[in-house]
């Protein structure tokens, strides 16, 4: 049962790794999406099948085939790892791009609000200094105040988006603080690469290791079954010989 569980987990991890890898490769070669999907899927299938075949035929396969398959599996693992790295990097880059765009929009609106506030202050100062009726300034003051309110309302959704992004980046800041002791933009990028490399180093190799473990477990099970089958056949054979010997002795005594 444990061998089936190990094989199932190995196939699940391989499938997830294949998805990340293929999607990552399509980001690197975005102009040929479907050809890259076909190529990446073929690479993943070849890697899994090649690993299983190599394990089962390790002692009987020719050295040329054996060493070539070992080299090919290593290279394929590097390719798929690069695909996974590209996929996860793009996910972070998209988030960083969204954060950057939101920040620029907020800064632009803040600048517009500052300009309108300065204009409003000028109008108020002029209204105070004007000796005649201030009604001529009321319309401009009201329009300026309305524009400030409108810009502030436009900024609210952006602030909410910025808070959401900061919440998503929050765990990464803890990693940067833990590894580098600070959380500036440079250390955040380094922390992202650190986490992605840790995932890449474990993700794909773990799937292959579990696949080898499952093959090894099924091989041991087959060996044990063959051993006990042989034992049972030997016992049956001994029993038959014993019965024959008893029968021969009985006939001999009767004579």
């Amino acid at each position: 049962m444990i061998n089936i569980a190990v094989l199932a987990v190995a196939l699940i991890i391989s499938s997830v790794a294949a998805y990340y890898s293929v999607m990552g490769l399509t980001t690197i070669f975005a102009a040929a999406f479907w050809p890259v999907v076909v190529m990446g899927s073929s690479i993943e299938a070849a890697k899994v099948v090649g690993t299983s075949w190599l394990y089962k035929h390790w002692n009987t396969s020719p050295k040329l085939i054996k060493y070539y398959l070992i080299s090919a599996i290593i290279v394929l693992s590097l390719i798929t790892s690069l695909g996974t790295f590209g996929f996860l990097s793009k996910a972070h880059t998209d988030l960083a791009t969204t954060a950057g765009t939101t920040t620029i929009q907020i800064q632009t609106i803040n600048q517009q609000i500052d300009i309108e506030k300065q204009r409003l202050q000028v109008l108020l100062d002029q209204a105070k200094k004007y000796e005649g009726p201030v009604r001529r300034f009321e319309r401009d003051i009201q329009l300026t105040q309305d524009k400030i309110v409108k810009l502030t309302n436009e900024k609210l959704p952006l602030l909410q988006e910025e808070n959401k992004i900061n919440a998503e980046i929050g765990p990464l800041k803890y990693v940067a603080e833990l590894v580098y002791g600070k959380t500036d933009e440079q250390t955040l990028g380094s922390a992202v690469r650190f986490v992605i490399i840790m995932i890449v180093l474990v993700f794909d190799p773990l799937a292959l290791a579990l696949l080898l473990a499952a093959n090894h477990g099924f091989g041991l099970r087959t060996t044990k079954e063959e051993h006990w089958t042989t034992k049972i056949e030997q016992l049956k054979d001994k029993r038959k010989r014993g019965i024959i010997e008893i029968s021969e002795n009985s006939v001999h005594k009767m004579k």
Side-chain angles (χ1 to χ4, degrees):
M1 188 67 182
I2 186 64
N3 294 327
I4 296 176
V6 171
L7 179 60
V9 172
L11 293 177
I12 290 172
I13 295 177
S14 296
S15 300
V16 175
Y19 174 78
Y20 286 177
S21 173
V22 171
M23 291 297 101
L25 290 173
T26 58
T27 62
I28 298 174
F29 305 101
F33 181 85
W34 286 113
V36 172
V37 169
V38 173
M39 180 192 70
S41 302
S42 302
I43 286 175
E44 290 292 337
K47 185 179 65 179
V48 172
V49 174
T51 301
S52 296
W53 187 93
L54 193 61
Y55 177 84
K56 291 183 178 180
H57 300 85
W58 181 262
N59 295 322
T60 58
S61 61
K63 289 184 178 180
L64 181 61
I65 295 177
K66 182 191 297 185
Y67 294 141
Y68 173 77
L69 282 177
I70 292 173
S71 302
I73 290 170
I74 292 173
V75 173
L76 292 177
S77 297
L78 290 175
I79 293 173
T80 54
S81 295
L82 286 174
T84 302
F85 189 93
F87 178 84
L88 296 176
S89 298
K90 184 178 183 301
H92 173 71
T93 302
D94 289 345
L95 180 62
T97 301
T98 302
T101 303
T102 303
T103 301
I104 292 173
Q105 290 175 333
I106 292 175
Q107 290 175 350
T108 302
I109 292 177
N110 284 335
Q111 291 174 355
Q112 292 175 343
I113 291 175
D114 290 339
I115 292 172
E116 294 301 324
K117 285 183 177 179
Q118 291 175 2
R119 184 176 178 223
L120 177 61
Q121 188 61 46
V122 170
L123 289 172
L124 291 174
D125 292 340
Q126 289 178 350
K128 289 179 181 179
K129 294 178 181 179
Y130 187 65
E131 295 180 354
V134 296
R135 188 172 299 177
R136 56 174 295 185
F137 296 100
E138 290 179 353
R139 181 175 177 276
D140 291 338
I141 291 173
Q142 185 62 47
L143 289 174
T144 303
Q145 290 175 334
D146 291 343
K147 194 167 185 179
I148 292 173
V149 172
K150 181 182 178 182
L151 290 170
T152 303
N153 290 333
E154 290 178 1
K155 189 172 72 171
L156 289 177
L158 296 174
L159 290 174
Q160 293 176 349
E161 182 68 21
E162 187 179 49
N163 291 333
K164 181 180 177 181
I165 293 173
N166 288 333
E168 293 177 353
I169 298 177
L172 184 60
K173 291 182 178 180
Y174 285 108
V175 175
E177 182 70 27
L178 177 65
V179 178
Y180 301 101
K182 53 184 179 179
T183 58
D184 55 25
E185 185 175 350
Q186 183 177 357
T187 54
L188 283 177
S190 299
V192 170
R193 289 190 292 273
F194 174 78
V195 173
I196 293 175
I197 289 173
M198 294 295 290
I199 293 172
V200 168
L201 288 176
V202 175
F203 204 32
D204 205 49
L206 177 61
L208 295 179
L210 288 175
L211 187 64
L212 290 173
N215 278 283
H216 180 70
F218 283 120
L220 288 178
R221 181 177 178 181
T222 302
T223 303
K224 287 181 180 179
E225 289 177 352
E226 292 175 351
H227 172 74
W228 285 110
T229 301
T230 304
K231 285 285 187 183
I232 292 172
E233 292 296 331
Q234 290 176 350
L235 289 173
K236 287 181 179 179
D237 186 59
K238 287 181 180 179
R239 185 178 179 184
K240 288 180 180 179
R241 289 180 181 179
I243 292 173
I244 292 172
E245 289 177 359
I246 292 173
S247 299
E248 290 178 348
N249 290 334
S250 299
V251 172
H252 181 70
K253 288 179 180 179
M254 290 176 64
K255 291 180 177 180

